[in-house]
Amino acid sequence: MTNPLADRIALVTGASRGIGFATAKALAKAGAHIVAVARTQGGLEELDDEIRKDGGSATLVPLNLTDSDGIARLGAGLHERYGKLDILVGNAGVLGPSSPVGHIELKTFNDVMAVNVSANFQLIRCMEPLLKQSDAGRAVFVTSGAANKATAYVSPYAASKAALETLARAWAQETANTKLRVNLFNPGPVRTRMRATLMPGEDPATLETPEQIAEFIVPMCAPDWTETGKFYDYKTRSLMSFRSPA
């Protein structure tokens, strides 16, 4: 059995459950060493157990991504230990309130932006030098259809994902002439805790699982993936280019 990601270092945020957990496990199964970042120590330890069962390895990093200094320290630690980073999966995100725009407190809005946008901005700042040290640096950010649908009653989440998409696309353009490839991934409705919070009456059996989603994220992290600045839509199984409004 070949390990297409052997000797590659992969940082996955939000790795303690859901899509992040499944993606970290799938990347490890493909041979990558996982740097798993999440707030929940117990979830990280469960992930470590699963990765070890498959013969893989992981470094667990309990970290709240609103701790920008902590992200900087993580970058410094990766530089000291590995001198590079091959894969960044920016998956961590929070849903925020389900409420009309005018009823949302400023602090609540800022809390959503801090995790969904500012944390990814800091990850880019701190991990870009390491990704450029890789022979094939790959970054994938998990977004949502709410970004372009401007979904009602989840405006902080929708706005944050729209901002994340623009941030990632700008970074992709800036690095287009390097070996780094930057892309976005829209999983659509998935059987996660976040989805259950948003749609409590929905039958989870009708939704795709995080493991099914992870199967499509892994190829975007591989050295032979050449596209950048693109948007993979899981529902239609298609890789899309962004276009200006007509």
Side-chain angles (χ1 to χ4, degrees):
M1 182 176 178
T2 60
N3 292 320
L5 301 181
D7 301 320
R8 307 198 80 74
I9 310 300
L11 190 161
V12 181
T13 68
S16 62
R17 62 174 182 256
I19 293 172
F21 187 104
T23 300
K25 187 176 175 182
L27 289 168
K29 197 166 186 178
H33 175 78
I34 305 303
V35 180
V37 179
R39 291 178 298 174
T40 310
Q41 178 74 34
L44 288 174
E45 291 175 354
E46 182 181 344
L47 171 66
D48 188 48
D49 290 342
E50 290 296 312
I51 287 175
R52 289 178 183 276
K53 284 180 186 177
D54 289 334
S57 63
T59 299
L60 309 183
V61 183
L63 177 67
N64 188 325
L65 288 174
T66 61
D67 179 1
S68 58
D69 289 340
I71 293 175
R73 288 192 297 272
L74 174 58
L78 292 174
H79 173 73
E80 183 177 350
R81 185 168 183 179
Y82 302 111
K84 67 162 186 172
L85 180 65
D86 300 295
I87 298 163
L88 168 62
V89 179
N91 163 75
V94 294
L95 178 62
S98 297
S99 178
V101 177
H103 295 183
I104 298 168
E105 296 290 334
L106 178 60
K107 182 184 183 303
T108 304
F109 179 86
N110 287 339
D111 288 346
V112 174
M113 299 299 283
V115 176
N116 295 0
V117 186
S118 298
N120 283 303
F121 166 73
Q122 180 70 343
L123 281 166
I124 289 170
R125 290 185 66 246
C126 297
M127 302 305 161
E128 180 183 66
L130 295 169
L131 286 162
K132 286 184 173 179
Q133 288 299 312
S134 172
D135 61 346
R138 301 290 179 262
V140 179
F141 295 95
V142 177
T143 184
S144 167
N148 57 74
K149 293 176 184 174
T151 305
Y153 305 113
V154 289
S155 58
Y157 180 75
S160 70
K161 289 300 185 179
L164 173 63
E165 288 187 4
T166 301
L167 179 67
R169 290 168 59 198
W171 189 31
Q173 288 196 58
E174 292 168 4
T175 56
N177 293 325
T178 73
K179 296 177 182 178
L180 176 58
R181 309 286 86 182
V182 180
N183 293 281
L184 290 146
F185 187 96
N186 175 27
V190 186
R191 199 182 306 173
T192 62
R193 186 182 302 180
M194 180 185 291
R195 180 71 183 184
T197 300
L198 179 64
M199 305 289 287
E202 188 174 51
D203 181 2
T206 64
L207 303 176
E208 301 288 89
T209 66
E211 289 73 21
Q212 289 172 303
I213 301 301
E215 290 180 12
F216 286 79
I217 295 177
V218 171
M220 298 175 71
C221 301
D224 60 1
W225 180 273
T226 59
E227 299 285 355
T228 196
K230 299 295 179 66
F231 176 100
Y232 189 90
D233 184 66
Y234 177 81
K235 184 177 180 180
T236 60
R237 307 294 198 276
S238 58
L239 187 68
M240 302 179 178
S241 296
F242 287 87
R243 295 182 297 176
S244 299

